[in-house]
Amino acid sequence: MPTKIRQAAVIGSGIMGGGIAALLASAGVKTLLLDIVPPGIKDEEKDDSKARNRIVSAGLEAIRKSQPAALMHPGDVDRISTGNLEDDFDKLAGCDWIIEVVVEHLKIKQDLLKRIETVRQPDAIVSSNTSGIPLKAMSQGLGDGFKQHFLGTHFFNPVRYMKLLELIPGEQTLPEVLQFMAEYGERQLGKGIVWAKDTPNFVANRVGVQGSMRSMQLMSEHGLSIPQVDVLFGPAMGRPKTGVFKTIDLVGLDVLAHVARNTHALVTGDEARDSFILADFVQKMLDSGMLGKKTNGGFYKTELTPEWEKIRKVLDLETFTYKVYDPPDFPCLAAAKKTKTEEQKIQTMVFGDDKGSKFVWQVVAEGLIYAANRIPEIADTIVAVDNAMRWGFGMAYGPFESWDLMGVARVVARMEAEGMPVPTKIKEMLAAGHTAFYKTENGRRLFYDFAGKGYKPIETSEIMISLAMLKKENGVVLGNASASLVDLGDGVFCAEFHTKMNALNDQVIGFLEQAHDYVDANGVGLVIGNQAGGMPGAFSAGADLVQMKTAASQGAFADIEAIVKRVQDVVQRSRYCSYPVVAAPFGLALGGGCEICLGADRIVAHAELYMGLVEIGVGLVPGGSGCSSLWRKIMENIPASVSDVELTQFFIPVFQTIAMAQVSTSAAEARDRGFLGPRDRIVFNRDHLIGEAKKEVLRMVDDGYAPPVKRPIRVMGEAAIGMANAELLNMTTAGYISEYDAYLAGRIAFVLGGGQSRTGSYVSEDTLLAIERSIFVALTKQEKTMARIEHMLKTGKPLRN
């Protein structure tokens, strides 16, 4: 068995194979991507390698152009080499992991695996990404050595963004191979591992597709429309905002239909087998090629007016034409919006008495029964099923977690009253006095195990730290309504924000001041991070614009300056305090959230990081030290031995990053933009982020941490302003930006250049901060800035006035 993956191979360059290859390359693995020689190749092309690799080359090009991006960084594609299954098959001998992602046809897969057996290293791992063909059937006739290193690795599409990785042991797979793949998938690839059994479509698709298909069947019975179903099974139920049908459009109706048909054919003993039968309208859509986003028409369709305005239409299932629709509403939705907790919200949706609630109840109740009946058929534990649905279908809660929120006894009582077949295992659980599937004891989360008829601890990686569990166990060291300080152990504390989108307000800034005092007196280091749910989530989406707008409308500009000064001071304190501070950003780290990170000694970032200084979109410049901190970070990373460096080549990209409100599409791209430096780290698994940040703090302490010395910063001076103005004039004249955009960008150049300083001179950091602060305050007095702020608060989109 390999101790590391030096080189991997992916056989099959379609959407899934290309996605897996892109993930491996982004994780730093040299990857061989192979596909077939085009069938019917012309005689004159038989010796032409370009022609013979036409299919795999198209797959590689699809990886390059994929939207959303399949690669973390465009340069990662250089780790992918290509070839075909005739000329380059022997190259598999140099691979530690070979992944088969070819067409779902048993004979094709069997023949391929037999060929692989002849060239693979004795300890090379071979896996299949199949979802419908049993591993036992695929590996029939192969040797024991092959079978001992063979398993299923079922990724979900899009591979980069979907957290779920189902691992399916073969009958003879070695335990050490399974352990290695689980650890590798979790740590290096950032996946959530679910152990599945070799059953049709494994865990997530078996349960998730059953729920989707049953929703379609019951929709007609309840007299509901497509948009009504989507709004009912959206965020109010802890589901993605795409609901049922918009999600299918994204995945592809053909994909859903394939899984449903495949499952129906194979699960002859399933009590709910008929729920996998395609509704008549689904078959009609398939016959008409209405597959969703890939055909620009599925359940929904976007059309352009002559004025180039987008109009969203929905399929009318009676007339089979597209029509404009109004956002639907139900009394249960209105009531759910008024609730304060997730428990209250989901109970309001499920136990209401309106038309929407009755539909939700039946779909949910049948889904809960189905999930319970699948244990131990498809997986051994409720944890596996819940994780699969959260990680594979983007749900906030798995079926058993949501059952707890609704109240297990209450749900069962209603099921029995309505004559539903409640699983015996659930009745036995309640009869034994166990009223919930999950509970917390001694700081550990436990789950109810049907086999043992009692609770067991949920096993997680040692590097995973749950802030929620720590707070339940030890409480909060200090905090307020907007933030908390959590003891991570070993003298390390975590400053956690919990405002909406983790926006920075007065309470957060005041809390950070107190947190620094506490850590200075009681600890060895500080992590700034949180574990906001969902993907991509938000480390911090920036400053509280409502607070800024209110102060400006009241003419309280002295208060605004004081607020900005406090932000700058707390960022500076993080930078120069006597203990290490590590920021652990993920998802959105915008504006003030980005500034908090730039003030830390180190950044340990999740790979999915959308970081940027976007203040120009609301008519401002970064005021909490963003301009000066980014410029300082860039300048500090220039080796001291490099003298007389040309500042222009550094100034222009920094200026463009801020003036164009550029946001990274990954942590790797954030490094390109200078937000992350060479000592900052990127972590692929978000569940490891706080734990890795804590490790970084302790590593710095062990290394004898000493705070940096505050030194003057070399600036472009007046030359920066002239350089920026020339470019801005061209862009304004060409109509690319408005005059106010140009004015704001000029202010950014003024800050970055150090005001009226001489070119190449050195300016104190405090001077740069004062310039940044004064311009920020001045801009809050501008009508156009206030219009931008109001528009952002109202629409969530920037205004270009």
Side-chain angles (χ1 to χ4, degrees):
M1 185 195 76
T3 56
K4 62 179 68 173
I5 304 297
R6 301 172 186 83
Q7 176 157 323
V10 178
I11 303 176
S13 62
I15 293 174
M16 182 59 74
I20 295 172
L23 175 68
L24 290 168
S26 296
V29 179
K30 290 189 294 183
T31 303
L32 174 65
L33 182 63
L34 300 180
D35 214 315
I36 61 172
V37 173
I41 190 170
K42 298 177 183 179
D43 289 340
E44 61 268 26
E45 294 179 325
K46 286 184 177 179
D47 294 326
D48 182 353
S49 61
K50 186 175 182 180
R52 295 174 68 80
N53 287 337
R54 189 178 297 139
I55 292 176
V56 74
S57 296
L60 185 64
E61 190 62 20
I63 291 173
R64 294 181 194 271
K65 295 181 177 179
S66 175
Q67 290 298 327
L71 296 160
M72 295 285 184
H73 186 281
D76 292 334
V77 76
D78 295 335
R79 295 194 184 95
I80 302 176
S81 59
T82 58
N84 66 70
L85 289 172
E86 293 181 17
D87 306 324
D88 304 288
F89 200 81
D90 287 347
K91 292 179 181 178
L92 296 175
C95 297
D96 301 302
W97 180 17
I98 303 166
I99 311 165
E100 170 273 306
V101 202
V102 300
V103 64
E104 289 286 277
H105 187 284
L106 177 58
K107 182 67 165 57
I108 292 174
K109 289 181 183 289
Q110 286 177 329
D111 290 345
L112 176 61
L113 294 180
K114 287 176 182 176
R115 289 185 66 198
I116 292 174
E117 185 178 30
T118 65
V119 299
R120 62 174 281 272
Q121 300 174 34
D123 61 350
I125 295 170
V126 181
S127 69
S128 171
N129 195 66
T130 185
S131 59
I133 299 177
L135 299 180
K136 182 178 180 181
M138 275 191 278
S139 60
Q140 186 176 356
L142 298 174
D144 289 343
F146 185 97
K147 291 180 180 179
Q148 289 169 354
H149 294 82
F150 180 59
L151 72 155
T153 49
H154 188 215
F155 291 87
F156 272 59
N157 191 48
V159 178
R160 169 181 164 182
Y161 302 95
M162 298 304 293
K163 184 172 181 177
L164 179 59
L165 172 56
E166 293 176 324
L167 294 184
I168 307 93
E171 287 187 328
Q172 297 183 41
T173 315
L174 295 172
E176 54 265 35
V177 170
L178 297 173
Q179 181 181 353
F180 173 80
M181 289 306 299
E183 292 177 354
Y184 188 84
E186 180 182 285
R187 194 175 186 93
Q188 266 66 42
L189 303 183
K191 298 302 179 185
I193 304 300
V194 166
W195 292 103
K197 297 188 178 181
D198 194 8
T199 57
N201 291 298
F202 310 129
V203 180
N205 278 340
R206 181 73 174 275
V207 175
V209 172
Q210 189 274 339
S212 297
M213 300 303 294
R214 188 62 180 140
S215 297
M216 287 191 238
Q217 294 173 353
L218 291 173
M219 177 178 71
S220 300
E221 294 180 22
H222 286 260
L224 295 177
S225 68
I226 290 171
Q228 286 177 324
V229 172
D230 276 351
V231 76
L232 287 168
F233 277 99
M237 284 295 295
R239 309 289 181 93
K241 62 182 180 181
T242 48
V244 176
F245 294 100
K246 290 176 185 174
T247 300
I248 295 172
D249 274 355
L250 291 172
V251 173
L253 186 61
D254 53 337
V255 175
L256 179 82
H258 170 76
V259 174
R261 285 169 174 159
N262 178 266
T263 306
H264 184 267
L266 296 172
V267 294
T268 54
D270 191 322
E271 80 285 351
R273 185 187 183 205
D274 288 350
S275 61
F276 291 97
I277 296 175
L278 302 183
D280 291 341
F281 65 83
V282 173
Q283 187 58 57
K284 187 174 180 180
M285 292 174 68
L286 291 169
D287 293 340
S288 302
M290 302 163 65
L291 307 181
K293 188 177 180 181
K294 67 178 71 175
T295 59
N296 194 30
F299 292 106
Y300 293 88
K301 185 176 185 178
T302 300
E303 295 182 355
L304 290 175
T305 67
E307 293 76 28
W308 294 92
E309 293 181 4
K310 290 183 179 180
I311 298 178
R312 186 90 162 168
K313 293 186 176 182
V314 68
L315 182 64
D316 185 328
L317 295 178
E318 292 185 4
T319 64
F320 240 69
T321 58
Y322 289 96
K323 65 178 184 180
V324 178
Y325 64 97
D326 295 321
D329 201 4
F330 290 93
C332 60
L333 285 169
K337 289 177 183 177
K338 298 177 182 178
T339 60
K340 294 182 178 180
T341 67
E342 294 304 310
E343 185 176 19
Q344 293 170 342
K345 182 180 293 184
I346 197 169
Q347 288 183 6
T348 300
M349 290 295 297
V350 172
F351 296 119
D353 56 8
D354 67 313
K355 185 177 181 179
S357 275
K358 290 176 182 177
F359 172 73
V360 168
W361 160 255
Q362 186 172 355
V363 173
V364 167
E366 290 188 15
L368 296 177
I369 292 171
Y370 189 78
N373 283 335
R374 302 284 70 77
I375 297 172
E377 178 193 347
I378 63 175
D380 286 324
T381 69
I382 63 171
V383 177
V385 176
D386 280 344
N387 285 343
M389 297 312 297
R390 284 191 288 106
W391 296 338
F393 279 76
M395 297 181 178
Y397 318 100
F400 299 98
E401 291 169 321
S402 64
W403 206 334
D404 275 354
L405 290 173
M406 289 179 265
V408 180
R410 183 181 182 185
V411 168
V412 169
R414 181 171 173 180
M415 286 176 172
E416 291 181 325
E418 296 180 5
M420 292 184 173
V422 179
T424 301
K425 65 187 76 171
I426 304 297
K427 294 180 181 179
E428 291 176 348
M429 171 183 151
L430 289 173
H434 305 305
T435 59
F437 291 105
Y438 294 94
K439 66 179 182 178
T440 301
E441 285 184 359
N442 301 320
R444 298 198 69 179
R445 196 172 183 223
L446 310 179
F447 72 95
Y448 184 78
D449 177 50
F450 288 129
K453 298 184 178 181
Y455 289 92
K456 288 185 176 180
I458 297 176
E459 300 296 334
T460 59
S461 167
E462 291 182 0
I463 201 63
M464 291 186 188
I465 292 177
S466 168
L467 295 179
M469 287 296 106
L470 286 177
K471 288 192 287 187
K472 283 184 179 180
E473 182 179 7
N474 301 322
V476 174
V477 174
L478 62 88
N480 53 40
S482 298
S484 303
L485 189 66
V486 183
D487 189 347
L488 300 181
D490 301 312
V492 183
F493 295 84
C494 179
E496 175 198 30
F497 310 153
H498 37 76
T499 54
K500 183 178 180 180
M501 300 293 284
N502 294 314
L504 307 180
N505 59 18
D506 271 350
Q507 284 190 329
V508 170
I509 301 307
F511 157 79
L512 285 173
E513 293 166 344
Q514 296 173 352
H516 275 298
D517 289 340
Y518 189 92
V519 175
D520 194 23
N522 302 283
V524 300
L526 177 67
V527 170
I528 303 177
N530 61 73
Q531 293 173 329
M535 287 294 288
F539 168 78
S540 175
D544 185 340
L545 289 177
V546 174
Q547 183 180 7
M548 196 65 59
K549 175 179 175 291
T550 301
S553 63
Q554 296 172 351
F557 300 111
D559 292 343
I560 292 175
E561 182 169 9
I563 292 170
V564 175
K565 179 68 162 58
R566 286 183 72 193
V567 175
Q568 291 181 341
D569 287 347
V570 83
V571 170
Q572 289 290 94
R573 185 166 181 185
S574 292
R575 170 71 180 162
Y576 296 109
C577 61
S578 60
Y579 46 86
V581 176
V582 174
F586 61 91
L588 301 178
L590 305 176
C594 179
E595 290 173 324
I596 291 291
C597 294
L598 290 173
D601 292 289
R602 299 278 172 86
I603 297 175
V604 175
H606 182 231
E608 295 296 342
L609 179 64
Y610 307 94
M611 177 176 273
L613 295 166
V614 297
E615 285 84 351
I616 195 171
V618 289
L620 297 168
V621 301
S625 77
C627 294
S628 54
S629 290
L630 182 57
W631 182 249
R632 172 188 49 73
K633 189 159 189 169
I634 296 292
M635 291 294 99
E636 284 179 344
N637 286 320
I638 299 173
S641 59
V642 179
S643 58
D644 298 325
V645 65
E646 175 54 55
L647 292 183
T648 303
Q649 60 187 319
F650 296 98
F651 172 79
I652 291 176
V654 173
F655 169 70
Q656 290 177 336
T657 292
I658 303 175
M660 298 176 69
Q662 294 176 348
V663 177
S664 69
T665 59
S666 67
E669 190 177 298
R671 193 187 297 281
D672 272 2
R673 299 193 188 284
F675 294 121
L676 271 61
R679 295 183 301 170
D680 298 326
R681 292 177 51 213
I682 297 174
V683 174
F684 266 62
N685 194 318
R686 195 172 117 184
D687 291 336
H688 292 182
L689 197 57
I690 299 296
E692 291 290 352
K694 176 188 173 181
K695 282 173 56 180
E696 192 68 23
V697 167
L698 293 176
R699 187 179 297 116
M700 294 167 73
V701 171
D702 287 343
D703 289 343
Y705 175 78
V709 177
K710 186 181 288 191
R711 292 187 173 92
I713 303 169
R714 193 179 176 199
V715 295
M716 280 287 294
E718 295 176 339
I721 302 167
M723 190 180 305
N725 286 341
E727 182 63 26
L728 293 170
L729 178 61
N730 293 334
M731 295 179 71
T732 306
T733 303
Y736 291 124
I737 60 174
S738 69
E739 289 186 5
Y740 198 58
D741 283 329
Y743 172 74
L744 294 168
R747 299 289 80 198
I748 291 169
F750 186 82
V751 176
L752 287 173
Q756 301 293 335
S757 305
R758 288 182 294 103
T759 300
S761 63
Y762 286 82
V763 175
S764 73
E765 196 167 356
D766 290 340
T767 298
L768 286 177
L769 290 171
I771 296 170
E772 186 174 309
R773 186 169 65 249
S774 66
I775 290 179
F776 182 96
V777 175
L779 289 174
T780 62
K781 301 175 183 179
Q782 299 290 323
E783 290 184 9
K784 289 186 176 182
T785 287
M786 297 312 299
R788 289 193 176 199
I789 291 175
E790 289 177 10
H791 190 269
M792 178 63 73
L793 290 172
K794 192 174 295 183
T795 69
K797 298 177 182 179
L799 171 67
R800 293 301 184 197
N801 53 357

